[in-house]
Amino acid sequence: MGETSPHWRFARMTPAQMNENPVQGEFFTSASDLPERLVRESIQNSLDAARSNRDGEREVVRVRFAFSGNDHALAPEDAAPYLAGLSKHLDAVNLSPPSGSMPYLLVEDFGTTSLQGDIGANGGIEKGNDFWGFFRSVGISPKPEDSGGSWGLGKWVFPDASQLNAVVGVTLRQGESHALLMGQAALDTHSIEHDGQAIKYPPYGWFAESSGDFDHEWTPMPVQDSRIIDEAAKHFLLRREQEPGLSVIIPCPSPELGPQDIVRKVVTQYFYAIVSGALVVDVEHPDVPTVIVDDESIDDVVAGLGSSEREEENPDAMRKVVRLARTANAFDSSQLTRAMASERSDRLLEQLDLDELRLQFMKGLPVGFELATRVADKNGKRSEASFRMFVERDQDLKSGHDYFVRGNLQIPTMDHIQSYRARALVLVDGKSPLGHLLRDAEGPAHVKWDPHAKRLKERWSGGYARVQEVRRAAPIILQALV
C-alpha cells in the first residue's frame, strides 16, 4: 500500500479545542469485568440491529466471538497495513504496537441490518444513523426508544478490549452489495514533535480513506475498495460473505479475555434471549473446541461451566434459571395470576388468593404473575402497561436471587430476595411504555434500575413509583408465600 492507501490519521487540535482524555470506560469498569462488558454491550448492539423478515418478525441474531490465538495471528507484514500511521500515536501515549505477529479477537454478527445511515453525515444528532453513532459520536445515541441501549457509550467496550485502544470494523449494510471498512482509535490527548515543534492531537483517530483535506475540513470516510476489504476478510477470517452485518476486529485483545470467560458471560447475561430463540452465539479459539450456544445446546454448555464465586452463576443455579426461563416462555396467559402492581405490599397482596398460590409455591412449582401498571410521561401521555414475574422455591439455594430482563437484556445487579430460598424472573417488554421508562432508569452500563435517575425524573411522571413496583414485586409476594 502506498501513500494514497488507507491509514490511521488524527486531526491536529486547534488552540480552542478542549484538552480531554476519554473517561467513558469508567461507567462500565466498576459495574462488571471486561468479559462481561464486552459480551453485554456487543450482543446488545447486535440485538438492537436485528433484521426483520418479510412478515415483520425479527430474525435470529447470531454473534461470533473468534479468537485468532497464535495459529491465526497476523504475520508482521500482513498486520502492517492495518497499523499504518498508528505507531507514532501509540508511542506518544506509552502504548506499543505488536513487535511480532498480531493476535486479534473478531466479533461479528449475522441477522442484522448493520450500520445504516449516510456515511458522510456528521451533524449534531444524526437520528437513525447507526454508522454515525458507531464511528462519529460519543455519548449521543441515534437509536430509537425501543432499543436496548440509549447512551451512545456501549461501543466503548471494543477499543477498551484492545491493548492498542483501537478497532477496525467491516460492515455490509442491508440492501447494499459492497462492504465498508473503517477503524477508530481512542487514546489520550497527546503531542508529537514535527520539525522541532510539538503538535497536539485529540484522543480520537480513524483508519480511513486517504484524504488531502486540511485537518479542520477533514471528514474521515470508510474504505470502499473491494480489493482491500476482501484482503482484510482473508486476513482476519471473516465469514461475512454477502450477509449483512458488522464485523469488529479487536487487535491485540486484552489478556483478561478468553473463550471460557466469553462462554460464561454469554450464558449468564443472555440466557433468556437464547432460550427464547432470539440469539445464537459461537465462541471459537484454535486451541479449544468451538462452543455454539443456542436453545438446544445451552443445557450442555451450562453443565460445562466451572464453579463461580457468585452462587447464581454456578452450573446448578444456571441450569435452574434456564429451566425457569423456558417455563416462562411456555406459560399460557390463562395460567398467569393477574393483579395491579403496587409498591405497597397491602395493596398488592389483597388482590391475590394467597392460599392457592402458597400451596403451589411450597410444592416447588413455578408461580406466574402478570402485574399491570400505568405510566405517564412528562407530556401528559398515559399508557397501560404490565410486566410478567415468575417465582419458584429452591431449598438448595443459600440465598435467593432475582433476574430482571428488559427486552433481551438482563439487568444484573439488583438483589432484593436474598433472604428467601427462591428465585424470581421478572420480564419487561422492551418495546412497551414501561420498558421505555425503565430504560431511562438505567445508567450507561445498564446494570440496575435507579428510581432516582436523572433521565427518569426528566421524562416521566411518577417514575419513582413505577420502578419500585417492578423492583419490589418479588419480595412482596415471597414474603406472603413463605
Side-chain angles (χ1 to χ4, degrees), residues 35-36 39 255-266:
E36 183 171 310
V39 166
E256 294 181 52
L257 298 168
Q260 294 85 359
D261 304 305
I262 298 296
V263 170
R264 176 183 292 279
K265 297 308 178 181
V266 166

Side-chain angles (χ1 to χ4, degrees), residues 185-254:
L187 309 178
D188 286 339
T189 298
H190 56 283
S191 297
I192 298 176
E193 188 170 311
H194 292 273
D195 299 327
Q197 181 181 2
I199 304 299
K200 194 160 58 173
Y201 294 91
Y204 305 105
W206 288 265
F207 183 80
E209 285 277 17
S210 179
S211 171
D213 292 339
F214 293 110
D215 285 352
H216 68 280
E217 299 174 334
W218 174 57
T219 298
M221 294 296 290
V223 179
Q224 301 188 53
D225 188 326
S226 60
R227 294 171 298 176
I228 295 175
I229 296 172
D230 289 345
E231 187 174 26
K234 293 177 182 177
H235 281 151
F236 296 106
L237 303 180
L238 270 61
R239 292 186 182 168
R240 174 66 46 217
E241 296 184 356
Q242 291 302 309
E243 185 174 354
L246 173 65
S247 302
V248 179
I249 301 150
I250 302 172
C252 301
S254 167

Side-chain angles (χ1 to χ4, degrees), residues 107-125:
V107 183
E108 57 180 348
D109 61 31
F110 306 89
T112 70
T113 60
S114 194
L115 302 179
Q116 297 291 313
D118 182 354
I119 62 175
N122 195 16
I125 300 180

Side-chain angles (χ1 to χ4, degrees), residues 268-269 271 310-313 317-318 321 324 390-392 397-404 410-426 474 478:
T268 58
Q269 299 302 307
F271 65 88
R310 299 164 67 175
E311 182 188 23
E312 67 273 15
E313 291 191 0
M318 285 308 306
V321 171
L324 182 59
F390 302 83
V391 297
E392 66 176 2
L397 287 173
K398 295 179 181 178
S399 63
H401 187 69
D402 30 15
Y403 300 81
F404 296 89
Q410 191 199 167
I411 313 300
T413 64
M414 297 183 295
D415 281 314
H416 304 302
I417 61 170
Q418 294 183 48
S419 59
Y420 303 97
R421 290 186 174 182
R423 68 179 51 84
L425 176 61
V426 178
L478 284 172

Side-chain angles (χ1 to χ4, degrees), residues 27-272:
F27 290 110
F28 302 94
T29 52
S30 62
S32 55
D33 58 27
L34 181 56
E36 183 171 310
R37 298 198 303 273
L38 180 63
V39 166
R40 281 176 58 81
E41 299 299 331
S42 60
I43 291 181
Q44 175 192 293
N45 287 341
S46 297
L47 288 170
D48 284 345
R51 209 163 55 229
S52 297
N53 60 26
R54 294 180 180 179
D55 297 326
E57 298 175 343
R58 290 165 69 90
E59 295 187 13
V60 177
V61 170
R62 191 168 199 131
V63 179
R64 175 181 177 235
F65 294 87
F67 291 83
S68 71
N70 293 326
D71 291 356
H72 302 310
L74 265 64
E77 61 271 20
D78 291 331
Y82 309 105
L83 299 172
L86 183 61
S87 296
K88 59 185 178 182
H89 295 278
L90 294 175
D91 289 341
V93 295
N94 298 315
L95 295 176
S96 300
S99 56
S101 297
M102 185 178 76
Y104 63 87
L105 168 59
L106 175 65
V107 183
E108 57 180 348
D109 61 31
F110 306 89
T112 70
T113 60
S114 194
L115 302 179
Q116 297 291 313
D118 182 354
I119 62 175
N122 195 16
I125 300 180
E126 298 284 346
K127 286 294 184 183
N129 189 331
D130 296 320
F131 186 92
W132 175 88
F134 193 85
F135 285 113
R136 297 202 175 108
S137 72
V138 175
I140 305 173
S141 176
K143 293 182 179 182
E145 61 182 357
D146 286 341
S147 62
S150 62
W151 288 84
L153 295 174
K155 63 192 176 184
W156 193 255
V157 298
F158 292 116
D160 193 34
S162 167
Q163 296 180 78
L164 308 183
N165 292 112
V167 298
V168 174
V170 177
T171 175
L172 179 59
R173 288 122 59 94
Q174 185 175 19
E176 296 183 358
S177 59
H178 63 281
L180 306 170
L181 182 150
M182 195 162 171
Q184 187 175 61
L187 309 178
D188 286 339
T189 298
H190 56 283
S191 297
I192 298 176
E193 188 170 311
H194 292 273
D195 299 327
Q197 181 181 2
I199 304 299
K200 194 160 58 173
Y201 294 91
Y204 305 105
W206 288 265
F207 183 80
E209 285 277 17
S210 179
S211 171
D213 292 339
F214 293 110
D215 285 352
H216 68 280
E217 299 174 334
W218 174 57
T219 298
M221 294 296 290
V223 179
Q224 301 188 53
D225 188 326
S226 60
R227 294 171 298 176
I228 295 175
I229 296 172
D230 289 345
E231 187 174 26
K234 293 177 182 177
H235 281 151
F236 296 106
L237 303 180
L238 270 61
R239 292 186 182 168
R240 174 66 46 217
E241 296 184 356
Q242 291 302 309
E243 185 174 354
L246 173 65
S247 302
V248 179
I249 301 150
I250 302 172
C252 301
S254 167
E256 294 181 52
L257 298 168
Q260 294 85 359
D261 304 305
I262 298 296
V263 170
R264 176 183 292 279
K265 297 308 178 181
V266 166
V267 171
T268 58
Q269 299 302 307
Y270 283 101
F271 65 88
Y272 184 74

